[in-house]
Amino acid sequence: MTTKIESRVTTNETVIEVAKVNKWFGDFHVLKDVSLSVKKGERIVICGPSGSGKSTLIRCINHLEEHQEGRITVNGTVLDENLKNITNVRREVGMVFQQFNLFPHMTILDNLCFAPVWARNMPRKEAEDTAVMYLERVGIAEQRDKYPGQLSGGQQQRVAIARSLCMNPSVMLFDEPTSALDPEMIKEVLDVMVELASSGMTMICVTHEMSFARLVADRVIFMDGGEIVEENTPDKFFDNPQIDRTQKFLSQIL
Ligand code: ADP
Ligand code: MG
């Protein structure tokens, strides 16, 4: 992982548009006038201190959380209370969490086939073929008949990525996908994410993995206190942060 992956922004097509979004948990103002536009093929890394609203922001993008003000649009569909719109957006958006969230009582193959078969009515054979293709892509096809508990954390996270890809998303959201992993397993997951980035996937990744950010990010966004406070290319962001809060944060993680 040394050479910068070239930008895949080939069109002007906007995939995600977050416009002046505000969200409160009770009295607590968790997202403050957040705006973010992501083009097709673009890779965004979001970082910032714990509690700054990073997870809440990306969870709003597939409506795992509801925002109260502003507008979120995914591939032209506005996320509002219209259930059809929410379903349409969720079809487009894959999400990978810190905790892998695999179904523990199902084999790896069944984990991957479940949603395509039951939510998309895909014939089982076709779902299996797709699943095996993605398991091969993340390098663990030989684990297909095992249960999640029999795999390492790094392998489970690769399964979680493959499971998302089986739904053919047009954008992938990652929420600190390597934070729960032992250090020796981080690279195998980042390698899969780098491969995904070089294939042209539109991605928003909450991560503090700087080598990954430098390698794939078109833009790094820094959040603090519910706001986007700085945004830049990775090299400028890490080498020459513009504001005090970013400098302080980077001095803590570097
Ligand atoms: P980050 O991912 O940057 O660590 P989060 O988006 O998880 O931050 O959380 C931002 C803030 O919102 C934190 O102070 C957190 O305690 C609070 N928060 C998150 N989820 C909830 C919730 N469901 N109810 C109330 N407060 C929440
Ligand atoms: Mg978080």
Side-chain angles (χ1 to χ4, degrees):
M1 294 208 312
T2 48
T3 327
K4 172 96 186 162
I5 309 288
E6 264 178 50
S7 175
R8 298 284 162 179
V9 183
T10 49
T11 64
N12 234 0
E13 201 180 317
T14 300
V15 178
I16 294 173
E17 186 80 56
V18 176
K20 288 203 171 287
V21 162
N22 283 279
K23 174 172 178 60
W24 289 261
F25 285 121
D27 290 339
F28 180 63
H29 197 175
V30 60
L31 295 178
K32 300 173 184 162
D33 268 341
V34 172
S35 295
L36 169 68
S37 176
V38 184
K39 298 219 180 310
K40 189 171 184 327
E42 197 171 18
R43 286 111 31 172
I44 309 289
V45 161
I46 301 179
C47 63
S50 176
S52 56
K54 307 179 298 295
S55 295
T56 304
L57 172 60
I58 67 165
R59 289 167 62 84
C60 282
I61 294 173
N62 67 351
H63 210 72
L64 290 174
E65 297 285 356
E66 203 167 343
H67 61 285
Q68 283 104 19
E69 283 180 8
R71 203 159 77 132
I72 300 179
T73 314
V74 180
N75 281 336
T77 304
V78 179
L79 267 180
D80 49 23
E81 57 276 17
N82 182 333
L83 277 179
K84 212 166 152 205
N85 286 358
I86 296 171
T87 307
N88 284 341
V89 164
R90 290 207 179 131
R91 291 181 86 94
E92 300 292 329
V93 179
M95 181 138 179
V96 173
F97 303 87
Q98 183 175 338
Q99 304 300 337
F100 328 119
N101 295 347
L102 298 174
F103 303 119
H105 58 291
M106 288 186 196
T107 65
I108 300 309
L109 192 65
D110 286 342
N111 262 279
L112 268 67
C113 292
F114 184 78
V117 169
W118 294 102
R120 298 268 171 92
N121 296 319
M122 191 186 273
R124 171 82 196 185
K125 174 77 176 70
E126 191 184 334
E128 277 189 16
D129 290 346
T130 308
V132 169
M133 178 190 74
Y134 283 117
L135 285 174
E136 278 167 3
R137 190 162 158 198
V138 303
I140 35 177
E142 74 286 358
Q143 311 288 354
R144 50 186 280 178
D145 296 322
K146 290 193 180 161
Y147 289 86
Q150 297 173 290
L151 270 55
S152 72
Q155 289 174 323
Q156 289 188 57
Q157 192 59 300
R158 286 189 278 151
V159 171
I161 295 170
R163 183 174 64 171
S164 261
L165 294 174
C166 283
M167 298 296 273
N168 196 24
S170 62
V171 50
M172 286 284 287
L173 311 177
F174 291 87
D175 192 1
E176 303 206 36
T178 59
S179 303
L181 297 176
D182 292 333
E184 72 272 18
M185 291 171 191
I186 291 176
K187 184 173 179 301
E188 68 191 47
V189 171
L190 292 180
D191 283 348
V192 167
M193 292 169 64
V194 169
E195 194 271 327
L196 198 55
S198 52
S199 78
M201 179 62 80
T202 309
M203 294 162 74
I204 301 181
C205 311
V206 176
T207 181
H208 296 150
E209 291 293 335
M210 230 173 315
S211 58
F212 172 80
R214 281 189 192 268
L215 199 60
V216 309
D218 294 298
R219 271 186 289 154
V220 179
I221 282 170
F222 177 69
M223 287 186 75
D224 194 14
E227 296 174 283
I228 293 179
V229 292
E230 185 160 354
E231 183 175 336
N232 219 327
T233 59
D235 288 346
K236 287 189 182 139
F237 180 84
F238 291 116
D239 297 337
N240 190 16
Q242 297 299 301
I243 64 163
D244 287 350
R245 282 195 275 182
T246 318
Q247 286 163 8
K248 183 160 170 268
F249 171 75
L250 289 175
S251 71
Q252 284 160 352
I253 65 161
L254 281 169

